[in-house]
Amino acid sequence: MSQLHVINHPLIQHKLTYMRKTDTGSKDFRTLLNEISVLMGYEVTRDLPLEDCEIETPITKMTGKVISGRKLAVIPILRAGLGMVDGLLELVPVAKVGHIGLYRDPETHKPVEYYCKLPSDIEERIVIVVDPMLATGGSASDAITMLKARGCNNIRLMCLVSVPEGIAKVQADHPDVDIYTAAVDDHLNENAYIVPGLGDAGDRIFGTK
Ligand code: PRP
Ligand code: URA
């Protein structure tokens, strides 16, 4: 069964509060999102497997640990997911990055696919899907379905703000996928926006409204 990890470290809560404020501009919004992504990335990668590695320090030989097995891929859901990529790459610079383009139809609130470009060996990688907002859950669920159709079998979802409706959808559609979120907000409004939320994440990152 999918696990929900709420990563509510005080530094993350503090930065998220500033992101939520209406008068926080795009530059600060992007900076805060990047900083939170680094902090969340620390937890999202907590269970990566390790293997022994024989090394020599200037003093003696020893057995150290290095990350073993599968390599990582970071998959942002366009556009807003782009704001969480650099933070993860700071932690894992060798991760590959794929892109899934989805937008929500303003009338139906259902996701519409417009782009997909993934690393050629994606099925061999541990995949971290990133998107700041988990609202109805339609976009995240569809993105995960697209990845599974291409052979991915080790997927986790990292979002910033979620609501119970979105969490329930992803867990029902993808019981094998763990969800990492910084906050679980109250509900969705009539336009399927998260309340209290932070507004339209893509518009706030890119200054498009
Ligand atoms: C936002 C957000 C998610 C999606 C969440 O993207 O970044 O991808 O909505 O909503 P859902 O859980 O109800 O699917 P949007 O469609 O606004 O596109 P954008 O990132 O290009 O602005
Ligand atoms: N997408 C956003 O950017 N914000 C929401 O609150 C819901 C969907």
Side-chain angles (χ1 to χ4, degrees), residues 77-82 102-105 109-112 114 130-141 163 166 170 188 191-194 199-206 208:
I77 302 178
L78 305 179
R79 293 173 300 166
L82 290 172
L102 295 172
Y103 71 87
R104 287 202 322 182
D105 182 287
H109 308 135
K110 299 264 186 245
V112 181
Y114 62 89
V130 294
D131 191 333
M133 309 308 280
L134 183 62
T136 66
S139 302
S141 180
V163 277
V170 172
L188 294 174
N191 297 317
Y193 272 82
I194 294 175
D200 188 303
D203 284 340
R204 294 198 65 184
I205 292 169
F206 297 109
T208 41

Side-chain angles (χ1 to χ4, degrees), residues 8 38-39 43 80 105 128-129 133-135 152 154 158 184-185:
N8 55 4
V38 177
L39 295 167
E43 288 299 325
D105 182 287
I128 307 175
V129 176
M133 309 308 280
L134 183 62
C152 299
N154 189 331
M158 173 171 135
V184 181
D185 275 13

